[in-house]
Amino acid sequence: MAAEGALGVTHHVIYPEKIDSARDQNSVLLLKKSTFPNGSSSEITSLVESAFEEGAKVPVSQGDILAITADDADGVPYVIASFHGDTNGLATIPVLDALMKVVRSDNEKSLSLSGHKLIFGLDANTYESGKSGKMQDVLEFGKKYVSHDLTSCWGDVPNPKQYTTYNARTFLQPQLNKACKSTQKKLNGDVNPKDFILFNSKDFGLEEVWKDNTGEKKYIEDMAFPTLNFPSDHGLLSAVLKPNIRDGSSEL
């Protein structure tokens, strides 16, 4: 539907080959046509899924991962990926490890991706105060992406208080065990730094990053959402990346 609407005029709308039509949480990518005129070159999601550590039980569902290759208008090759993490974030590090394994491989099966520039946007579902084996700690995740020579829109060491979710359940819903008083929404709600854009600082410089929980390109701290005007339970995360190598090239 999006591809046939206004977005489809300016952007390539890309979704996983194996999408789960029964779920409303599939990963989707939008590529601006002026920057990526030919859209996606290939989907490599299956390569990422097959790169999980043998025997590991990674809690991912069909449609959670979308990874593609694409060439920009200057012919520079990219790997662009999107991931929707499980509630506790336990799949986040295994998915990152698998993606990097594929990107750094240099053989026919992996399409020789080692020369591609990576941009990876993800709902990592990381927590300000994680619990080992139960909830993914945000600082532990930061150490992991740095170990892969990546940085994020929040830097090498993410601020645990850089929240991108702020929601809590009222008593006007059936799961009363998850409800809390309005005075306790920050203490008992989901207020965490969950969303990231990852890239290699050798490839890109970060020009600007911003959050939005209003639909007006601004983020109101300590405001619970979704709201009537902003239906998502995660804030929008945007970043302007400027390629370090190509002189005069456009920002992404």
Side-chain angles (χ1 to χ4, degrees):
M1 295 295 291
E4 299 172 359
L7 275 175
V9 175
T10 56
H11 292 74
H12 299 285
V13 182
I14 302 166
Y15 48 86
E17 180 180 345
K18 296 181 179 179
I19 196 168
D20 188 340
S21 59
R23 299 172 67 231
D24 59 357
Q25 295 180 327
N26 293 284
S27 288
V28 175
L29 290 169
L30 300 177
L31 297 185
K32 193 172 183 179
K33 290 182 177 180
S34 59
T35 304
F36 296 95
N38 297 319
S40 172
S41 303
S42 64
E43 182 178 343
I44 58 170
T45 303
S46 61
L47 291 178
V48 176
E49 293 173 338
S50 64
F52 291 140
E53 185 177 338
E54 186 175 356
K57 295 182 179 180
V58 183
V60 296
S61 299
Q62 187 169 288
D64 282 341
I65 304 171
L66 174 57
I68 66 167
T69 63
D71 293 343
D72 71 8
D74 296 323
V76 177
Y78 286 77
V79 168
I80 304 173
S82 175
F83 173 59
H84 168 258
D86 61 294
T87 299
N88 294 326
L90 300 182
T92 297
I93 285 179
V95 168
L96 175 60
D97 287 342
L99 176 63
M100 295 309 298
K101 182 178 179 180
V102 171
V103 168
R104 287 180 172 152
S105 297
D106 193 11
N107 54 59
E108 184 177 351
K109 182 179 179 181
S110 66
L111 307 178
S112 297
L113 300 176
S114 58
H116 288 56
K117 299 180 186 298
L118 173 68
I119 300 176
F120 184 19
L122 66 160
D123 163 12
N125 271 331
T126 47
Y127 290 80
E128 179 180 1
S129 299
K131 297 179 182 178
S132 180
K134 295 183 178 180
M135 295 193 306
Q136 180 58 57
D137 185 84
V138 68
L139 292 178
E140 180 187 14
F141 176 56
K143 292 177 181 178
K144 171 56 68 171
Y145 64 68
V146 167
S147 75
H148 284 299
D149 296 324
L150 300 178
T151 189
S152 81
C153 58
W154 305 124
D156 290 349
V157 182
N159 180 356
K161 295 187 180 299
Q162 188 63 266
Y163 307 131
T164 57
T165 62
Y166 196 120
N167 56 77
R169 297 182 186 233
T170 72
F171 287 90
L172 296 176
Q173 48 87 35
Q175 293 180 294
L176 296 181
N177 60 309
K178 296 183 179 180
C180 67
K181 297 179 179 179
S182 61
T183 55
Q184 299 175 326
K185 60 186 179 183
K186 187 170 184 178
L187 177 65
N188 296 327
D190 179 7
V191 185
N192 286 289
K194 292 192 169 185
D195 299 277
F196 288 82
I197 299 171
L198 304 183
F199 55 94
N200 191 316
S201 60
K202 294 180 181 178
D203 294 331
F204 301 101
L206 180 66
E207 295 283 292
E208 186 179 6
V209 60
W210 67 95
K211 304 183 295 184
D212 182 352
N213 64 355
T214 64
E216 300 175 355
K217 295 185 178 181
K218 64 181 181 180
Y219 191 95
I220 300 175
E221 300 289 350
D222 296 324
M223 181 186 79
F225 59 96
T227 65
L228 292 176
N229 294 322
F230 189 84
S232 175
D233 61 356
H234 283 245
L236 295 174
L237 180 59
S238 303
V240 177
L241 304 180
K242 188 171 184 179
N244 288 332
I245 297 176
R246 293 174 292 152
D247 294 333
S249 56
S250 59
E251 295 173 332
L252 299 176

